Every structure is written in structure tokens, then in C-alpha cells.
């Protein structure tokens, strides 16, 4: 029997206003298990705002978000239990060791300490577990943030610039890991990197000025814009109203 991938995220007419400034405007999308979706857009496009609303950390001005068929306006805790979130900047407790930080996060999530070992191995940070987070490079700190996002093995991952600060080898490792994990997860990646969207993701959503300008496979977007590459399509879609 063919596996049917379940809808895990449903967003309808989502708006977020800061006074007269609209961070997102009537954003609607659906995502399912197996999706690796790139949220691609210039600075200020609304990518991080959208992720924070889906994760339940930011309330929308209007619109609706469902996570695993549950309206998060009525149950934001449910969303947080089922989502692993790597926000921009990897907020961490810098005076703790990596191991202490992950143990603390595991306790908050009701996870057994075996989850710490598994997450550290998956994120390839076992060699720095005893070091204080403040002593780590930006790339290692990003990977510690990634490890905390997968501690509870959530069905949904929201990764805001997951390879920011990583060297080329680390980038390749995390990108391959994301591909492997997507077999039984929904993964949304906010990125500025066109090659990341092309090579890691099976679906691309281009945002500009808080609106979705395109949503589909790379082939779909190239056909829509009559472009030969994603860079050209991106320029067309993000400059029409600028």
C-alpha cells in the first residue's frame, strides 16, 4: 500500500501587523510529512515572523494556524510539543556546558537523558559536550541549537538559517542530515542561500513584503517565471513591486 503523507501544518490567511507595518499579509500554505520547504526571501520578507507564529511563540494579528489538525490558538502548548524550533541566532545559556544545557532542555521537555546522547550524536557535537557554550565557535553554537531542536524527536522542524556560521563541511553534514530526517518529518527552512533551497529542499516558497510570491518545486518556479535558474526567478519575483 502506498504511504499517504499526512498534512502537518495548515496556515490560512495569516497576517501579522506591527502598527501600520505588515510583516505577513494573508499567507496561506499547507505542509505534509516528507516536505522539506525552503522559505526564501530578502531581509524583512516575513520568514522569521512566519516561523515564530507557526511555532506558537508569536500571536498572529489575524488568520489561522493548525498543527497536526490542532488549532494552536486554542492549544499553543500542543504545537510546541510537536515542533522542534531552531530560531535565528540560536539563543543559548552561554555559561552552561553543552551537556548541561541539553540535559536542562531535555528535562523541560520531559525527555529521558538518553535523548541528550542521541541528539548530540546526531548533531555531531559529542566532542564538545563538556565545554562551556561561550567558548564554542559560532558554527558549533549553531549545532548545539540544532541538537536542542531535535531532542524530543518532533514530527515538525522549523529551522531558521540552520547552516548560518557553519564551514563548508559542516554545511554539507547538516544538509544531508536534514534530507535523511525528512523521511518521517515536515521540515521548514528559512534561508538566504539559493543553493540550499535548490539542493536540500523539495519545495520552495518565495516570500517578499510579507506575501507569498511563488510556491512549488524548483521546476514549477522556473516555469512560472520563464527563468533558467533560481537566482533569476528570485530577482523577478522580488522586484515586481519594489
Amino acid at each position: 500500500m502506498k504511504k499517504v503523507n499526512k498534512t502537518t501544518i495548515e496556515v490560512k490567511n495569516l497576517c501579522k501587523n506591527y502598527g501600520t507595518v505588515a510583516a505577513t499579509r494573508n499567507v496561506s500554505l499547507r505542509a505534509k510529512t516528507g516536505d522539506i520547504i525552503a522559505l526564501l526571501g530578502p531581509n524583512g520578507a516575513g520568514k522569521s515572523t512566519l516561523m515564530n507564529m507557526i511555532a506558537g511563540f508569536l500571536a498572529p494579528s489575524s488568520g489561522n494556524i493548525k498543527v497536526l489538525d490542532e488549532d494552536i490558538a486554542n492549544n499553543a502548548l500542543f504545537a510546541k510539543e510537536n515542533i522542534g524550533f531552531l530560531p535565528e541566532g540560536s539563543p543559548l545559556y552561554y555559561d552552561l556546558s553543552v551537556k548541561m544545557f541539553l540535559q536542562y532542555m531535555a528535562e523541560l521537555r520531559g525527555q529521558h537523558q538518553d535523548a541528550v546522547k542521541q541528539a548530540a550524536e546526531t548533531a555531531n557535537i559529542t566532542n564538545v559536550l563538556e565545554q562551556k557554550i561561550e567558548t564554542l565557535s559560532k558554527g558549533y553554537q549553531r549545532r548545539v541549537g540544532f541538537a536542542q531542536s531535535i531532542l524530543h524527536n518532533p514530527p515538525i522542524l522549523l529551522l531558521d538559517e540552520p547552516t548560518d556560521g557553519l564551514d563548508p563541511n559542516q554545511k554539507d553534514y547538516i544538509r544531508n542530515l536534514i534530507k535523511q530526517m525528512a523521511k518521517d518529518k515536515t521540515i521548514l527552512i528559512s534561508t538566504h542561500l539559493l543553493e540550499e533551497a535548490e539542493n536540500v529542499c523539495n519545495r520552495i516558497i518565495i516570500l517578499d513584503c510579507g506575501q507569498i510570491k511563488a510556491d512549488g518545486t524548483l521546476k514549477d518556479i522556473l516555469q512560472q517565471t520563464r527563468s533558467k535558474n533560481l537566482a533569476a526567478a528570485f530577482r523577478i519575483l522580488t522586484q515586481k513591486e519594489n
Side-chain angles (χ1 to χ4, degrees):
M1 182 181 293
K2 185 178 180 180
K3 182 179 178 181
V4 177
N5 289 342
K6 180 181 179 181
T7 297
T8 53
I9 301 171
E10 186 175 0
V11 173
K12 289 185 179 179
N13 301 321
L14 201 63
C15 298
K16 181 62 180 178
N17 302 318
Y18 294 98
T20 59
V21 178
T24 61
R25 296 187 283 174
N26 294 315
V27 170
S28 296
L29 64 91
R30 284 189 179 208
K32 63 183 185 299
T33 303
D35 280 343
I36 311 176
I37 302 173
L39 297 179
L40 192 62
N43 290 333
K47 304 185 298 294
S48 294
T49 299
L50 177 58
M51 279 197 166
N52 275 280
M53 287 191 286
I54 294 172
F57 290 102
L58 187 63
S61 300
S62 61
N64 178 264
I65 305 169
K66 287 185 178 181
V67 170
L68 299 174
D69 297 324
E70 183 79 17
D71 190 331
I72 70 168
N74 302 323
N75 193 354
L77 183 59
F78 178 82
K80 293 173 184 177
E81 289 173 343
N82 287 281
I83 289 174
F85 186 30
L86 175 62
E88 188 177 15
S90 294
L92 304 165
Y93 293 110
Y94 293 94
D95 57 337
L96 295 181
S97 70
V98 173
K99 185 176 182 179
M100 289 176 65
F101 170 71
L102 293 178
Q103 286 175 335
Y104 175 62
M105 297 303 294
E107 288 175 8
L108 289 178
R109 292 191 174 276
Q111 298 295 307
H112 193 274
Q113 291 306 306
D114 286 347
V116 172
K117 180 181 178 182
Q118 181 62 49
E121 290 176 352
T122 301
N124 199 17
I125 56 170
T126 55
N127 59 319
V128 296
L129 280 174
E130 303 302 330
Q131 287 185 229
K132 278 194 172 184
I133 293 174
E134 65 185 1
T135 69
L136 300 178
S137 66
K138 183 179 179 181
Y140 265 109
Q141 289 180 3
R142 200 67 181 143
R143 284 155 66 186
V144 172
F146 180 79
Q148 71 77 26
S149 75
I150 62 172
L151 272 170
H152 55 307
N153 192 26
I156 300 168
L157 283 176
L158 306 180
L159 308 175
D160 199 345
E161 302 287 348
T163 60
D164 183 40
L166 274 59
D167 66 34
N169 289 334
Q170 293 173 337
K171 279 187 168 116
D172 285 343
Y173 178 82
I174 293 297
R175 288 170 178 174
N176 288 329
L177 182 59
I178 287 170
K179 290 179 183 178
Q180 294 169 18
M181 296 178 74
K183 294 174 183 177
D184 59 358
K185 297 185 188 300
T186 302
I187 303 178
L188 270 69
I189 301 172
S190 170
T191 183
H192 292 96
L193 305 176
L194 297 179
E195 73 272 14
E196 195 158 270
E198 289 178 310
N199 299 324
V200 179
C201 304
N202 53 30
R203 180 175 160 198
I204 299 170
I205 294 177
I206 295 180
L207 287 164
D208 191 27
C209 300
Q211 292 181 306
I212 292 179
K213 301 296 183 178
D215 181 356
T217 64
L218 175 61
K219 182 179 179 180
D220 293 335
I221 291 172
L222 295 184
Q223 288 179 339
Q224 176 185 333
T225 58
R226 298 181 181 178
S227 302
K228 293 184 179 180
N229 55 60
L230 184 57
F234 183 81
R235 286 193 296 271
I236 291 169
L237 291 164
T238 59
Q239 291 179 359
K240 284 182 177 178
E241 297 181 6
N242 294 341

